[in-house]
Amino acid sequence: MADQRAGRGPAITCAALAKTFGTGPAAVEAVAPLDLTFAAGELTALVGPSGCGKSTVLRMVAGLEAPSAGTVTLDGAAPADLQGEGALAMAFQDASLLPWRSVRGNVALALKLARKPVDLAAVDAMIARVGLAGFENARPAELSGGMRQRAAIARCLVTQPRVLLLDEPFGAVDELTRARLNTDLPALWQAQGTTALLVTHSVREAVALADRVVVFSSRPAQVVADLRVPDLLALDSAEGRTLMAEVTAALSQGWADDPGSGRHAAQ
Amino acid sequence: MIRARGDMPRSRAMAGAVTLAVRLPRLSREGAQAVGGALAALVLWELAARGLAGSYLLAGPVDVARYLQANSGLMGRALAITLENAALGFVAGNLAAVALALVVVLIPRSQPVVAGFALVVFCLPLVATGPILRVLYGPGPGPQITLAALAVYYTTFIPLMVGLRAAPASWFDLMRVYGRGAWTAFVQVRVMAALPYLLAGLQIAAPAAFLGAMVGEFTGAERGMGVLALRAMRGLDVEATWALATVAAVVAMLAYGALGWVARALAPARPEVLLAPPPATALSGRAGRALRGAGVAALTLVLMLALWWGVMEAFGLSRFFAKRPDDLWAFLVSAPTAAENRAILWEASAQTLTYVLPGYLAGLGLGAVLAMVLVLAPGLAGAVLPVAVALRSVPIVTTAPLIVLALGRGAAGTITIVAVMIFFPALVACLQGLRQAPGQVLDVMATYGAGRLTRLIHARLPAMLPAFFAAARMSVPAAVLAVTVAEWLATGTGLGNLMALTASTSNYNLLWSAVVLVALGSAAGYALVGAVERRVLARVAPEQLR
């Protein structure tokens, strides 16, 4: 039964993983050969300048992009295998809700796509857990940006995925809503022991949510820092501020080769 | 050109409660303006009829109502026949459009060839295909239904093709993350995303089907509105002509309105569809790309010739009336009289050009200018726009006789018919475009106290251009249709007359040559406007060309 396996996320291993878009003189190297392992059940934040290739790493883990070289394995399995089991879930920069479906319809669609029984009680329970109770029949166009992202998170979690991939899901959400989401939501996937990757611009968000922060250089993506976040770290504590300063310093180092790019991400 | 679904207004949820309170009075104000506009049109019409009484030009609403009452049985039977043919053609044409769009979406590489083929077939002049189909089918409703289908399939095919591709990439990623393939994506995403586009296409198609069926009936049918219209026009029966035009216009408007209502009920979030394909990406610059463009054009041409020849052979149609490409080659190039034949065609083409060019430019220009005036005087727009949208759906075959009655059979009447045919779609498209000006840009201008005229020039005009050009491209086949119909019905000159004449004298070589010339000429005009569009948009709206 999928439910019994839901508690254990796989370890994700990137071995000499590289991606080049295009060929010939127009070729763009998005990801330089990358060796990284993400531990089972952990949330790792990937931060880096805009366009550095961190989203490409995420898309290769999701099996949406084929690597130019190297491999991604999840406990030895290929991304496509997990796709087929409905064990993957991904949240996109825009909520990517289907506008003709209600919130309930969008969340239920994930169960259907993952070939799992569509249990509407479980769907409504998940909608309530992201704080959207009462909006089950609302269309995406009737929701605010933050509400849509929460609906998208509910769609991700309702299938109890073993791997959760978050591609800047809160990028378009205002700071206040973002802070609320950051406090409300982690409990949802931490309880399931899911292995999660979060791509984000926000140093604060990365440190607040993740067990580990990997900082990438500007394109092609290479690791410039790999930092562990202590459990129960308070962001306002001296330790928390030091860690955020470290991440920021690593980011600046990554930009040194390419001044002027991605400066807006400094906050 | 279609704008991809942008961000929906974020404040909708909050505005929801407010809208309920605000929408009702606003809707009724708009409704009142529309009713006011329609009433004003009716009153003006009646006054004009009374003013011109005795001149045998105009029958007013009262005369029309009286005529319809007296001849209700005849009109009812004719209307039923034409409606039936139009409905059958509507179904057949839209099924063909769906099939073509599916081919293009499933085999993306086929798009340039399929779209080019669809355009040329759409450019076939109804005036000539009517008689040819009459010969091929013999008596019966075949030509009417086929012409109705030909009149609708392109305006459904184009938005549907765009709609099937309108979904953002992340929706497809979502399907793939769960290991689902192209079929699930097709059912869950493409079909649903395309539905509003399809419905918008069907809405335009409904009046067009009626037009096609009527033209089909002109070509020797026994019953139907087209037959009555032709008879009334030939007999200078002013009341009958106006009564038929009124009935056809009302039917077209009702069909347009009914499908609009269905569309709003099924797919409330309607796209900004301008019902024209986006401008082709520029082929200039690299020689390789230009070469590929030429290759696609050549491939399209070869496929069309093969299909033409194949269909004729497959049905074993007689070479006497079903000409093959090699017959036309002989007629126009290798026969001893070829030079003479070409001269006849050139002379008719030159005559047609002198009507179609001024009419096309006047209709397009007037549409754009009136749209701008309406933006400067928004109160007026509420009254004029519903009338313009309604009149846009009135078939040309019904207005042509009226204009001929009013302006005579000379150049003025023909040019006016072309201009009228272009004017309403251009007006509606330009108004839509002007309204697409980004609110933030308008707000910035408002903070500097910029007046309406400044805002029009700096914010709205650039936003209007894509819509204007989309209308300009789609107007090319429409203008050619209008001019050939007018020449055939009224002036007795040009290609329209040549086609009607050769059809009745069974000079099928000349008829087929004229058909090919008109179709290729329309397609070339369409491509020419597209080229101008690319150059202009590259300067003022480069984001539209991506």
Side-chain angles (χ1 to χ4, degrees):
Chain A
M1 256 319 271
D3 281 9
Q4 283 169 334
R5 299 170 65 178
R8 292 177 288 115
I12 302 171
T13 310
C14 305
L17 186 65
K19 181 69 186 181
T20 304
F21 290 104
T23 51
V28 173
E29 191 182 20
V31 181
L34 188 73
D35 285 293
L36 260 180
T37 302
F38 304 106
E42 268 190 8
L43 192 163
T44 308
L46 313 179
V47 296
S50 301
C52 76
K54 53 193 189 300
S55 287
T56 308
V57 172
L58 201 71
R59 291 175 60 80
M60 287 193 284
V61 173
L64 293 175
E65 210 82 68
S68 307
T71 54
V72 174
T73 48
L74 305 102
D75 273 357
D81 299 334
L82 272 84
Q83 284 183 352
E85 292 168 28
L88 268 175
M90 184 158 173
F92 302 89
Q93 286 184 28
D94 58 340
S96 292
L97 300 173
L98 302 183
W100 50 86
R101 284 177 172 264
S102 63
V103 169
R104 183 185 281 131
N106 269 288
V107 176
L109 177 66
L111 286 170
K112 197 175 158 194
L113 291 174
R115 300 182 170 84
K116 294 183 175 175
V118 178
D119 175 359
L120 281 183
V123 167
D124 284 355
M126 185 54 76
I127 292 170
R129 284 185 69 183
V130 299
L132 288 179
F135 290 91
E136 291 84 356
N137 293 316
R139 301 275 163 149
E142 295 165 327
L143 302 179
S144 71
M147 293 162 94
R148 271 184 251 158
Q149 288 298 359
R150 279 191 268 169
I153 296 287
R155 179 175 65 188
C156 282
L157 295 177
V158 75
T159 56
Q160 299 187 304
R162 296 167 59 214
V163 176
L164 178 63
L165 304 168
L166 305 163
D167 187 3
E168 288 183 52
F170 312 129
V173 176
D174 68 87
E175 196 61 35
L176 208 65
T177 312
R178 198 173 178 141
R180 289 251 347 246
L181 291 171
N182 286 347
T183 34
D184 292 355
L185 297 179
L188 292 178
W189 60 74
Q190 277 163 6
Q192 295 179 11
T194 306
T195 309
L197 298 183
L198 167 70
V199 165
T200 179
H201 275 303
S202 162
V203 172
R204 201 182 164 81
E205 185 170 275
V207 173
L209 290 180
D211 302 304
R212 174 187 172 199
V213 179
V214 175
V215 183
F216 286 106
S217 67
S218 48
R219 197 178 66 212
Q222 281 176 312
V223 178
V224 290
D226 191 339
L227 303 162
R228 196 133 269 295
V229 182
D231 283 347
L232 303 171
L233 175 78
L235 289 180
D236 301 334
S237 67
E239 202 189 356
R241 282 200 292 271
T242 311
L243 188 61
M244 284 196 277
E246 261 183 86
V247 174
T248 309
L251 270 171
S252 317
Q253 186 201 327
W255 292 338
D257 310 332
D258 185 12
S261 76
R263 196 160 286 161
H264 62 277
Q267 16 91 4
Chain B
M1 167 156 337
I2 275 129
R3 274 149 212 276
R5 279 151 205 281
D7 275 18
M8 311 252 182
R10 233 173 245 172
S11 54
R12 280 251 191 107
M14 282 171 275
V18 185
T19 334
L20 266 185
V22 172
R23 195 181 276 161
L24 281 174
R26 219 184 69 196
L27 253 187
S28 69
R29 207 188 74 198
E30 279 172 3
Q33 277 178 342
V35 170
L39 279 180
L42 271 181
V43 169
L44 280 178
W45 176 13
E46 181 66 33
L47 287 178
R50 304 220 162 176
L52 291 168
S55 61
Y56 293 99
L57 289 182
L58 207 55
V62 176
D63 298 328
V64 165
R66 214 175 282 145
Y67 180 89
L68 288 178
Q69 197 186 8
N71 299 281
S72 57
L74 177 69
M75 296 290 268
R77 284 192 299 276
L79 183 61
I81 301 248
T82 307
L83 276 180
E84 185 190 329
N85 293 336
L88 289 171
F90 180 82
V91 171
N94 286 313
L95 284 179
V98 170
L100 282 177
L102 288 183
V103 168
V104 167
V105 168
L106 297 178
I107 315 167
R109 276 166 171 271
S110 70
Q111 187 198 334
V113 173
V114 173
F117 174 74
L119 175 65
V120 173
V121 173
F122 183 62
C123 288
L124 289 176
L126 295 184
V127 174
T129 37
I132 291 175
L133 288 170
R134 177 62 63 200
V135 178
L136 297 183
Y137 278 103
Q144 292 92 298
I145 295 168
T146 311
L147 286 188
L150 281 175
V152 302
Y153 84 96
Y154 193 70
T155 48
T156 302
F157 163 63
I158 290 299
L160 186 57
M161 178 178 79
V162 177
L164 283 168
R165 293 178 169 174
S170 62
W171 295 357
F172 298 102
D173 286 344
L174 180 72
M175 304 295 135
R176 288 173 58 204
V177 161
Y178 294 105
R180 295 309 193 106
W183 175 249
T184 308
F186 184 78
V187 173
Q188 291 291 348
V189 176
R190 286 196 199 275
V191 169
M192 291 303 293
L195 187 63
Y197 292 82
L198 172 66
L199 291 167
L202 292 183
Q203 196 183 2
I204 299 286
F210 198 72
L211 155 77
M214 273 186 80
V215 173
E217 287 166 355
F218 282 13
T219 62
E222 283 149 10
R223 283 168 300 171
M225 299 277 290
V227 178
L228 293 184
L230 203 59
R231 206 180 290 161
M233 197 168 34
R234 297 246 157 96
L236 286 178
D237 186 340
V238 177
E239 279 174 9
T241 306
W242 277 88
L244 284 158
T246 308
V247 170
V250 167
V251 166
M253 289 183 206
L254 284 180
Y256 183 85
L259 275 162
W261 182 81
V262 170
R264 275 190 298 280
L266 286 181
R270 305 201 64 200
E272 292 295 341
V273 186
L274 299 174
L275 297 171
T281 42
L283 293 167
S284 60
R286 293 187 189 167
R289 280 170 126 188
L291 212 65
R292 216 175 68 187
V296 165
L299 182 61
T300 311
L301 198 67
V302 168
L303 276 179
M304 265 181 308
L305 289 177
L307 191 70
W308 172 6
W309 190 83
V311 167
M312 297 294 147
E313 290 296 319
F315 288 93
L317 298 171
S318 155
R319 267 185 189 261
F320 171 65
F321 57 83
K323 297 296 177 190
R324 320 293 204 260
D326 53 309
D327 294 322
L328 293 195
W329 178 263
F331 180 71
L332 292 173
V333 181
S334 59
T337 56
E340 213 172 294
N341 299 332
R342 286 200 302 267
I344 298 173
L345 276 176
W346 291 141
E347 196 200 335
S349 308
Q351 284 169 340
T352 298
L353 270 180
T354 60
Y355 300 131
V356 77
L357 271 182
Y360 174 80
L361 295 175
L364 212 52
L366 285 175
V369 167
L370 186 62
M372 290 179 226
V373 170
L374 289 180
V375 166
L376 292 177
L380 195 59
V384 172
L385 189 60
V387 176
V389 167
L391 287 180
R392 180 177 67 164
S393 61
V394 174
I396 182 70
V397 281
T398 63
T399 41
L402 306 182
I403 295 170
V404 169
L405 275 178
L407 295 175
R409 293 172 178 267
T414 309
I415 291 171
T416 308
I417 288 171
V418 175
V420 166
M421 181 80 173
I422 309 297
F423 171 75
F424 289 108
L427 170 65
V428 173
C430 287
L431 266 179
Q432 278 176 354
L434 287 168
R435 288 177 174 185
Q436 300 236 323
Q440 287 170 343
V441 176
L442 293 172
D443 288 349
V444 168
M445 300 207 163
T447 59
Y448 291 111
R452 277 188 185 151
L453 193 62
T454 314
R455 277 183 273 166
L456 173 69
I457 292 168
H458 292 287
R460 292 194 189 273
L461 272 190
M464 185 193 87
L465 280 175
F468 172 79
F469 276 114
R473 266 185 293 139
M474 293 301 283
S475 293
V476 172
V480 171
L481 167 66
V483 78
T484 46
V485 168
E487 285 172 339
W488 166 37
L489 294 179
T491 62
T493 54
L495 284 168
N497 181 59
L498 181 73
M499 290 188 285
L501 208 65
T502 49
S504 60
T505 57
S506 304
N507 187 349
Y508 289 109
N509 271 320
L510 199 50
L511 177 62
W512 282 82
S513 304
V515 170
V516 171
L517 186 66
V518 168
L520 291 182
S522 304
Y526 183 99
L528 183 70
V529 175
V532 174
E533 175 179 20
R534 276 195 300 277
R535 297 199 73 152
V536 174
L537 290 192
R539 186 162 300 175
V540 297
E543 78 282 356
Q544 296 286 346
L545 293 174
R546 233 178 272 150

